[in-house]
Amino acid sequence: EVQLLESGGGLVQPGGSLRLSCAASGFTFSSYAMAWVRQTPGKGLEWVSSMSASGGTTFYVDAVEGRFTISRDNSKNTVFLQMDSLRVEDTAVYYCAKDSNRVRPNTFDFWGQGTMVTVSS
Amino acid sequence: IVLTQSPGTLSLSPGERATLSCRANQSLVNNYLAWYQQKRGQAPRLLIYSASRGATGIPDRFSGSGSGTDFTLTISRLEPEDFAVYYCQQYGSSPPSITFGQGTRLEIK
């Protein structure tokens, strides 16, 4: 059974930093790209970032480029999202998602339960 | 690529047929369009990919169609558990990126 377990969310002031983690199990982690998708409370979905299976290629939505960094540790089956220079508009539930592809962002066939990030003074 | 879903809310009764629309502002390469279902308090679930292919374990009452810029998700006979929010997603753009539609809420009439 595929499981994705996010952690690291919380309350942070504007300009602050947070690091999200997602521990994966139930599939060959090193064979699939991984992604972070966020959802503003009561609103829709926004793809944030993806990383290829090998970790050699990353993709970001323009709104977070230069502020967020995705990384992964294939030896620990974990993907991370380092979020710096956080803004109020980054407040959302952040989902970790398994991509169905190996390299470029594709479809997300498994999702975690999400972790809440609140940016507020 | 911008995806526009319609209607915003669809009110139907169990047993009825649901038709949800997703329109892209430019043609999608290889019809790379997916559909997700999200129930309250849960993560999204992949239903359809490549416009018309059912994801693993998805009941066959869910079907997708369309090409180019216009796509449709059809639920042939609504079950009580189908009332949820549905999102379309494109994944064929270059440079690679992902965008979602704003969602259609399917509610019980």
Side-chain angles (χ1 to χ4, degrees):
Chain A
E1 179 191 7
V2 172
Q3 291 193 346
L4 299 170
L5 185 61
E6 302 100 334
S7 60
L11 173 64
V12 62
Q13 292 187 337
S17 297
L18 274 179
R19 189 191 196 207
L20 306 183
S21 300
C22 172
S25 62
F27 66 100
T28 305
F29 183 75
S30 59
S31 294
Y32 294 94
M34 295 295 294
W36 290 94
V37 178
R38 66 186 179 185
Q39 185 167 34
T40 308
K43 297 295 179 76
L45 300 165
E46 180 181 39
W47 168 77
V48 173
S49 180
S50 289
M51 174 168 263
S52 62
S54 68
T57 308
T58 58
F59 308 88
Y60 298 94
V61 69
D62 287 348
V64 309
E65 183 85 53
R67 299 189 298 122
F68 291 10
T69 304
I70 190 171
S71 61
R72 63 191 293 163
D73 184 340
N74 283 350
S75 69
K76 296 182 178 179
N77 291 357
T78 303
V79 61
F80 306 96
L81 186 68
Q82 176 67 42
M83 302 186 295
D84 298 321
S85 302
L86 281 161
R87 304 169 180 169
V88 171
E89 55 265 34
D90 295 318
T91 295
V93 174
Y94 284 73
Y95 292 101
C96 168
K98 171 188 170 292
D99 202 303
S100 59
N101 202 9
R102 188 175 180 86
V103 180
R104 60 173 287 148
N106 199 278
T107 56
F108 308 124
D109 51 6
F110 291 95
W111 298 63
Q113 84 290 348
T115 186
M116 184 70 205
V117 171
T118 303
V119 185
S120 175
S121 55
Chain B
I1 296 177
V2 177
L3 300 178
T4 302
Q5 293 186 240
S6 61
T9 302
L10 185 58
S11 299
L12 294 170
S13 300
E16 291 191 296
R17 180 185 186 92
T19 303
L20 287 68
S21 174
C22 177
R23 177 166 291 179
N25 66 341
Q26 57 185 275
S27 186
L28 301 188
V29 172
N30 294 325
N31 296 322
Y32 280 164
L33 192 284
W35 290 93
Y36 295 83
Q37 175 194 67
Q38 186 177 32
K39 298 180 181 179
R40 188 180 301 274
Q42 296 184 16
R45 177 174 72 146
L46 177 65
L47 299 175
I48 301 288
Y49 65 97
S50 294
S52 61
R53 299 187 177 190
T56 302
I58 301 304
D60 58 10
R61 65 180 181 274
F62 291 91
S63 64
S65 62
S67 64
T69 61
D70 291 299
F71 300 88
T72 300
L73 174 70
T74 301
I75 311 171
S76 58
R77 284 181 58 87
L78 285 166
E79 298 286 343
E81 62 268 26
D82 298 337
F83 292 92
V85 180
Y86 292 82
Y87 295 95
C88 58
Q89 175 226 325
Q90 69 79 22
Y91 52 102
S93 57
S94 183
S97 73
I98 300 287
T99 49
F100 290 91
Q102 82 280 16
T104 289
R105 179 175 301 278
L106 178 56
E107 63 177 27
I108 299 177
K109 187 174 182 180

